């Protein structure tokens, strides 16, 4: 039995695949690292596979305040947001988006969140667990050609998430 959580292995596979897509790894290195990542049994075995690869993760947290990102901000590949009682507003409509896929992990106890996507973007909320919370997604669920795709996961205990699209086109760099 593996001591390594599936999410850690999945994240390592994503990092290796992204490095290949960015041209930092050749095909042979991609295959070798993927095989090692998929057969790793511990974090110790996984560390050398991804240790030299950049992991674009930003962590935001609040107990009772607001977390807001709007305007011309750089969206990381992975965003981890924790809020106990506060509100979260992530407006990607005028943000700089460099990645074709963005992972947003929400951990909200009582607060709520609003995510505004740029025109042409899609969102998948299937990885989000709710207890008494509520998820409303008015965004496309399937990834359109060329537009960014946002994968939302985590947990809403009593909170609410609203995902909607903006009419503004995505700003790519």
């Amino acid at each position: 039995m593996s001591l390594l959580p599936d999410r850690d292995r999945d994240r390592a596979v994503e990092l290796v695949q992204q490095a290949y897509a960015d041209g930092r790894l050749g095909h042979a290195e991609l295959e070798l690292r993927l095989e090692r990542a998929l057969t790793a049994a511990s974090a110790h075995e996984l560390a050398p596979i991804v240790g030299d690869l950049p992991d674009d993760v930003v962590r935001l947290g609040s107990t009772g305040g607001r977390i807001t990102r709007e305007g011309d901000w750089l969206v990381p590949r992975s965003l981890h947001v924790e809020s106990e009682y506060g509100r979260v507003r992530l407006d990607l409509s005028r943000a700089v988006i460099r990645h074709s896929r963005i992972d947003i992990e929400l951990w909200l106890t009582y607060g709520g969140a609003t995510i505004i996507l740029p025109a042409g973007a899609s969102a998948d909320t299937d990885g989000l667990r709710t207890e008494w919370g509520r998820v409303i997604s008015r965004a496309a669920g399937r990834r359109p050609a060329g537009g960014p795709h946002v994968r939302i996961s985590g947990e809403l205990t009593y909170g609410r998430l609203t995902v909607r699209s903006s009419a503004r086109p995505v700003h790519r760099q």
Side-chain angles (χ1 to χ4, degrees):
M1 184 169 162
S2 173
L3 301 174
L4 187 66
D6 287 340
R7 71 176 178 270
D8 292 348
R9 185 177 291 107
D10 293 346
R11 183 71 182 137
V13 167
E14 289 173 18
L15 286 172
V16 170
Q17 289 173 331
Q18 186 64 47
Y20 176 74
D22 292 345
R24 290 190 305 261
L25 298 177
H27 185 72
E29 185 70 13
L30 167 74
E31 288 184 2
L32 177 66
R33 289 189 190 213
L34 285 177
E35 180 182 346
R36 287 182 175 170
L38 292 170
T39 59
S42 68
H44 179 72
E45 291 178 19
L46 202 57
I49 299 165
V50 296
D52 62 333
L53 303 177
D55 189 4
D56 187 13
V57 178
V58 172
R59 298 182 185 284
L60 305 172
S62 173
T63 301
R66 287 183 158 264
I67 296 173
T68 304
R69 295 294 180 272
E70 57 189 11
D72 187 17
W73 64 288
L74 180 61
V75 179
R77 192 167 115 49
S78 184
L79 188 59
H80 180 97
V81 181
E82 290 186 45
S83 179
E84 215 170 315
Y85 295 97
R87 299 268 314 145
V88 176
R89 180 179 170 86
L90 302 173
D91 186 345
L92 283 68
S93 64
R94 290 184 290 160
V96 176
I97 300 174
R98 293 183 177 164
H99 307 285
S100 60
R101 189 177 107 196
I102 300 154
D103 293 315
I104 299 176
E105 191 175 348
L106 293 174
W107 295 95
L108 307 177
T109 306
Y110 292 99
T114 301
I115 299 174
I116 303 166
L117 304 175
S122 60
D124 171 8
T125 59
D126 291 345
L128 194 60
R129 182 179 174 284
T130 63
E131 288 187 30
W132 297 95
R134 183 173 166 187
V135 177
I136 301 166
S137 182
R138 295 186 177 99
R142 289 185 304 152
R143 184 178 189 164
H149 182 70
V150 179
R151 189 176 77 176
I152 303 166
S153 62
E155 184 174 308
L156 302 173
T157 308
Y158 296 98
R160 183 173 102 175
L161 170 65
T162 301
V163 180
R164 65 179 177 83
S165 294
S166 170
R168 295 183 186 130
V170 65
H171 178 72
R172 287 202 177 260
Q173 241 185 11

